[in-house]
Amino acid sequence: MRSDNFTKRLNFLFTLLQYAEEKDAIKNIEADIWEIWMDSGETQINTLMEEGSQYMNEMDYNAAIDSFTLVIALNPNFAEGWNQRAMAYFMRGSFKQAIEDIKQVLSMENRHFGALSILGEISLLIGDFHRAIRVYERLLKIYPHNQEFRKQLKNLKTKTV
């Protein structure tokens, strides 16, 4: 199970992310956040996460979904299981299912820039530019120096003016 140290470390990293401006520092902070998110603290679940990630790399999204579904069944409070399944659904083109999983992720970790980024992409692909703007604005509050999010928001605001 996750400890108070997990929460404290994550909060500290998100604080650093607010103020870091140097590209390498930002990259390292993001990597540290992902490392925490990906570690369930349970060997069996971590193994299933690795298996699902391998399927994702092989573009076998159905097998990845199966792996991440098992992760969720074993530990429904592990946000990253939901997030990885959302990504697999997104890559498969199952946007409605991806959005449902993203809602689960955000209910557990409202700063999850990975889940929000998938939601932003889905919003763009389905032409919901107003929701995409709201998502990218939210992303920039969490991750203010992310140039990709900033560029996406600027492009969206140009389209909707």
Side-chain angles (χ1 to χ4, degrees), residues 140-152:
L140 285 170
K141 286 179 183 171
I142 297 165
Y143 198 154
H145 300 289
N146 184 299
Q147 294 308 310
E148 182 181 320
F149 298 156
R150 188 167 305 289
K151 180 180 171 185
Q152 197 68 275

Side-chain angles (χ1 to χ4, degrees), residues 88-141:
Y89 278 137
F90 169 70
M91 296 302 289
R92 190 177 78 178
S94 302
F95 297 161
K96 184 177 180 186
Q97 291 163 303
I99 290 169
E100 290 304 311
D101 281 2
I102 289 166
K103 288 177 186 176
Q104 291 294 322
V105 175
L106 296 175
S107 74
M108 292 179 253
E109 175 52 79
N110 65 358
R111 303 168 296 189
H112 201 298
F113 49 78
L116 286 165
S117 146
I118 299 168
L119 183 58
E121 288 296 314
I122 291 170
S123 300
L124 288 171
L125 289 169
I126 65 174
D128 189 347
F129 300 125
H130 293 290
R131 179 170 66 176
I133 287 171
R134 289 191 310 273
V135 169
Y136 284 104
E137 286 173 342
R138 184 172 169 187
L139 277 163
L140 285 170
K141 286 179 183 171

Side-chain angles (χ1 to χ4, degrees), residues 3-22:
S3 67
D4 284 341
N5 286 339
F6 163 84
T7 303
K8 287 177 185 175
R9 176 100 174 109
L10 205 50
N11 288 341
F12 176 71
L13 289 168
F14 273 104
T15 299
L16 289 178
L17 195 59
Q18 287 290 308
Y19 299 103
E21 294 183 25
E22 204 273 320

Side-chain angles (χ1 to χ4, degrees), residues 64-89:
I65 289 165
D66 290 343
S67 292
F68 298 131
T69 298
L70 187 52
V71 166
I72 292 164
L74 292 169
N75 186 346
N77 297 316
F78 180 50
E80 198 54 37
W82 293 95
N83 183 61
Q84 292 300 311
R85 189 172 76 173
M87 175 59 86
Y89 278 137

